[in-house]
Amino acid sequence: MDVQDLVEYRAIEELKYRYMRAVDTKDWDLLASTLEPGVTAEYGHRLTFEGAQKLVRTLSRIMTDDIITVHRLSQPEIAIDGDEATGVWALTDRVIRKRDRVLLDGASIYRDRYRRGADGAWRIARTTYERLYESEVSLDDTPTFRLTEDRFAAPEVR
Amino acid sequence: MDVQDLVEYRAIEELKYRYMRAVDTKDWDLLASTLEPGVTAEYGHRLTFEGAQKLVRTLSRIMTDDIITVHRLSQPEIAIDGDEATGVWALTDRVIRKRDRVLLDGASIYRDRYRRGADGAWRIARTTYERLYESEVSLDDTPTFRLTEDRFAAPEVR
Amino acid sequence: MDVQDLVEYRAIEELKYRYMRAVDTKDWDLLASTLEPGVTAEYGHRLTFEGAQKLVRTLSRIMTDDIITVHRLSQPEIAIDGDEATGVWALTDRVIRKRDRVLLDGASIYRDRYRRGADGAWRIARTTYERLYESEVSLDDTPTFRLTEDRFAAPEVR
């Protein structure tokens, strides 16, 4: 690793942070901008995608305002080889499904591949994660639970 | 972004980490050292401050030893323009209010402005966050809940 | 801090991330590779170790597949002095004990010492943390709780 590598690490980290912020704010154009057109994605056993367009379309359809997601990345381990790079990340995530009153918590290890385009920008070429665990619980188990803030609430409910 | 920018990014990150550590350890002098005197702060809709002295005084009054807070920052996106800089951060926070037995969980996106002083040190000039969500639940919903460690417990209770 | 320090900070950060990933994936060889032979470790009041071999052996015995752990590091504040360095970190951790159905949540401040060996690699020489809080709750309080993913489940249960 030399000093110039650090500039590339930083660019890759901020790429990944934009990707994650795009998901949690449901900013689908921002999400698309972080992906190679031919990206492959495997989120555990259940969600796999081929192609940025399919990924963005499906997520935008699934993740309605009924669903609050919080994904938090930390612990990046990055390695660069020319215009290719790999990244290992720790993820924790929480999903609140308001209508059917489910709280999901999980933790994963992401393993990604990045590619630098002709424009000099890094994009996600392949993203996969392995779950350490995922749990679900009904909010009916904790009857006093209430949302006191919700960015995605309809205005009259907010 | 060039290599020298990375030195400034690092300084801004460690500034923000000291700020957050100061809040969770209730170290009000450390907190004051991270703020410009004229700082403005907007924590969601409910907590807004003008001036470092007011911010520190109010927080120190509100956040008694009855309250445990855990704030965790990740995903920094920083940009520098001369002696000014902006930062976007992911926050998760948990607050445990022991006396009235409430557990609060939340997640936010911070958007800050930093300024470099005549002494070369960066300080927080403006800090705002937008909540993704915030939830509250009574600890009476989970009757077996107990604190097995508490940095702020009175010695006899510890 | 100068630019070359950033290369060392990065090496120390990735060391600490490997250490943490080793714990959560129960990869005891990877864990051992991050430690000086004479490492001392103090995890709160209850878990203290002298020596890498003892630490790794004890953790590997305690942390059976019955136990899921998720440790997440953020907010590094690092300082280097020659071949020695110190690091302050924020930690949150969750432990799920499947057999006796306990969920533990905690948050700590890590304070570490690192040393650079003759081979140029940084290793952990001393690691300590102070708990902000730790809580336990029985999963029987939330009867609908279920694990939907578990990396350490026996194949037939998975």
Side-chain angles (χ1 to χ4, degrees), chain B residues 7-78:
Chain B
V7 174
E8 305 304 328
Y9 289 9
R10 180 83 194 188
I12 290 168
E13 287 174 1
E14 296 212 0
L15 166 75
K16 185 75 175 173
Y17 298 153
R18 284 195 303 278
Y19 154 90
M20 211 73 269
R21 180 162 58 83
V23 170
D24 287 343
T25 59
K26 310 186 201 297
D27 184 338
W28 308 117
D29 290 339
L30 181 60
L31 180 62
S33 76
T34 66
L35 304 172
E36 285 211 330
V39 66
T40 62
E42 286 180 30
Y43 302 122
H45 307 302
R46 288 171 297 187
L47 279 173
T48 65
F49 300 98
E50 294 278 339
Q53 209 172 54
K54 241 186 222 170
L55 191 162
V56 174
R57 268 192 205 159
T58 308
L59 285 190
S60 68
R61 192 168 45 74
I62 297 176
M63 290 174 51
T64 64
D65 283 353
D66 176 53
I67 295 177
I68 299 166
T69 65
V70 178
H71 294 83
R72 290 295 180 257
L73 293 163
S74 56
Q75 304 176 202
E77 301 172 57
I78 295 177

Side-chain angles (χ1 to χ4, degrees), chain A residues 89-105:
Chain A
W89 300 83
L91 171 74
T92 55
D93 55 299
R94 168 164 285 193
V95 176
I96 301 174
R97 302 203 314 252
K98 292 179 264 182
R99 204 165 34 222
D100 58 357
R101 296 183 52 75
V102 169
L103 176 75
L104 180 154
D105 278 326

